[in-house]
């Protein structure tokens, strides 16, 4: 059976079950206030904002191609247009920033963090992606994701560069970018790759503490402070869209990282609200 109209698509039971798995009612209640109400004038919208967001989350979770979006979701052109609009207005970053403060308050922490942890992850890229560089240390041809998280692992900032950019060089714009949203940050914990004057002097008033393992370390050892950012990377990598870099635009790659981190908080807040 071919499903043609929006109403027929939304009535399909399989699609409804899939959408509930992607974004249930409790999670939508957490994130809905961030989306401004649509203008009441003009033509009635064909697709609800929730359905469009579910389509973006489906892309993120499943890693499918845009053209392979299931028929229960809006056309790919519609989904892409809305995603680019959200990126352009900074909506995804704003959602994550507010949820970080909300979750920190629920945990008994100050809304604005004073310390953070930084790290980078090199990821292979596909032949269609726009960014590409070779990381000689990791032997990876692709991109490098630079993440700044609070001491509990909540994402504060994320940037994407080519993989040939050294961690210390990628950290400088990331730390400077964090100043606008997180002005109370006074300490950043990092590994030995961030040692040197370049990172230490990147932002006045923001000290960098290098955390290293014990001397003569043999094998893997969980590093104090640094493990939280590694855990965040592992969590967001559960989204198949982030297993590799598929994006042609840097801002789209960064948006998917931020959205993946924000959805961790959405699910956590929704679960706590029912307890």
């Amino acid at each position: 059976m071919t499903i043609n109209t929006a109403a027929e698509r939304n009535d399909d039971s399989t699609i409804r079950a899939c959408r509930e798995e992607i974004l249930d009612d409790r999670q939508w209640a957490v994130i809905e206030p961030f989306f401004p109400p649509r203008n009441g004038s003009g033509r009635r919208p064909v697709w609800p904002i929730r359905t469009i967001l579910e389509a973006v989350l489906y892309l993120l979770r499943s890693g499918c191609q845009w053209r392979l979006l299931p028929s229960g979701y809006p056309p790919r052109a519609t989904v892409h247009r809305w995603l680019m609009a959200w990126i352009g207005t900074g909506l995804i970053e704003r959602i994550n920033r507010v949820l970080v403060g909300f979750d920190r308050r629920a945990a008994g922490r100050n809304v604005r963090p004073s310390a953070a942890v930084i790290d980078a992850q090199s990821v292979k890229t596909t032949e269609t992606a726009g960014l590409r560089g070779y990381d000689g240390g990791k032997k990876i041809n692709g991109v490098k994701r630079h993440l700044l998280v609070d001491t509990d692992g909540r994402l504060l900032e994320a940037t994407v560069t080519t993989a040939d950019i050294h961690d210390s060089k990628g950290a400088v714009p990331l730390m400077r970018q964090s100043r606008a949203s997180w002005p109370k940050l006074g300490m950043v914990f990092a590994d030995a790759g961030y040692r040197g004057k370049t990172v230490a002097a990147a932002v006045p008033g923001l000290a960098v503490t290098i955390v290293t393992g014990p001397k003569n370390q043999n094998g893997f050892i969980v590093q104090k402070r640094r493990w939280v950012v590694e855990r965040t990377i592992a969590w967001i990598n559960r989204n198949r869209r982030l297993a590799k870099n598929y994006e042609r635009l840097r801002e789209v790659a960064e948006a998917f990282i931020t959205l993946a981190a924000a959805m961790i908080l959405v699910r956590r807040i929704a679960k706590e609200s029912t307890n």
Side-chain angles (χ1 to χ4, degrees):
M1 180 182 67
T2 302
I3 302 175
N4 296 316
T5 68
E8 289 174 331
R9 291 180 179 186
N10 287 326
D11 285 341
D12 184 75
S13 59
T14 303
I15 295 302
R16 288 201 305 271
C18 179
R19 298 214 318 252
E20 186 70 14
E21 174 67 24
I22 294 293
L23 185 71
D24 63 28
D25 291 340
R26 295 175 303 169
Q27 295 164 6
W28 172 241
V30 173
I31 203 170
E32 181 182 13
F34 293 99
F35 293 90
R38 287 183 172 179
N39 194 331
S41 62
R43 189 178 64 179
R44 183 179 178 180
V46 176
W47 296 100
I49 286 294
R50 176 175 178 175
T51 307
I52 296 170
L53 176 61
E54 288 168 351
V56 174
L57 293 175
Y58 183 88
L59 286 164
L60 176 62
R61 290 277 296 275
S62 69
C64 77
Q65 295 171 303
W66 282 90
R67 68 183 62 189
L68 296 183
L69 268 174
S71 59
Y73 292 116
R76 57 175 175 168
T78 301
V79 178
H80 187 269
R81 183 174 67 251
W82 276 97
L83 175 61
M84 296 307 295
W86 295 339
I87 293 173
T89 59
L91 178 62
I92 296 176
E93 294 179 355
R94 185 162 62 253
I95 290 173
N96 181 69
R97 184 168 60 250
V98 174
L99 291 178
V100 166
F102 189 91
D103 193 55
R104 284 180 61 86
R105 184 188 297 113
R109 308 289 298 275
N110 191 299
V111 173
R112 295 184 176 182
S114 59
V117 189
I118 194 171
D119 203 358
Q121 176 198 24
S122 293
V123 183
K124 292 181 180 179
T125 196
T126 63
E127 66 277 4
T128 60
L131 294 176
R132 191 185 306 275
Y134 185 71
D135 182 346
K138 300 292 179 63
K139 304 295 189 294
I140 288 178
N141 187 21
V143 302
K144 185 171 287 187
R145 298 168 181 159
H146 305 269
L147 275 63
L148 187 72
V149 305
D150 71 2
T151 52
D152 288 332
R154 303 175 188 88
L155 182 70
L156 303 180
E157 300 287 345
T159 60
V160 175
T161 66
T162 54
D164 56 331
I165 299 298
H166 192 271
D167 292 3
S168 60
K169 291 185 178 180
V172 173
L174 181 67
M175 291 168 61
R176 290 174 178 170
Q177 175 181 315
S178 70
R179 225 41 178 159
S181 302
W182 311 103
K184 288 192 175 182
L185 278 181
M187 176 71 68
V188 172
F189 298 97
D191 62 26
Y194 297 90
R195 182 178 284 137
K197 295 181 180 180
T198 302
V199 180
V203 180
L206 187 57
V208 178
T209 299
I210 303 300
V211 180
T212 59
K215 294 182 178 180
N216 303 320
Q217 174 181 332
N218 186 16
F220 174 78
I221 297 177
V222 175
Q223 303 294 333
K224 183 180 179 181
R225 299 287 187 182
R226 282 170 39 198
W227 67 271
V228 294
V229 67
E230 300 288 352
R231 183 184 62 179
T232 299
I233 291 173
W235 280 347
I236 66 174
N237 279 347
R238 293 174 181 174
N239 298 277
R240 293 187 177 181
R241 189 87 187 181
L242 300 180
K244 289 184 179 181
N245 178 56
Y246 297 94
E247 315 311 328
R248 296 183 180 181
L249 301 177
R250 184 193 311 269
E251 52 266 34
V252 176
E254 294 171 350
F256 274 126
I257 295 170
T258 305
L259 184 58
M263 287 307 299
I264 294 173
L265 300 179
V266 168
R267 289 189 287 269
R268 183 186 302 167
I269 294 169
K271 183 177 180 180
E272 291 175 351
S273 65
T274 59
N275 294 337

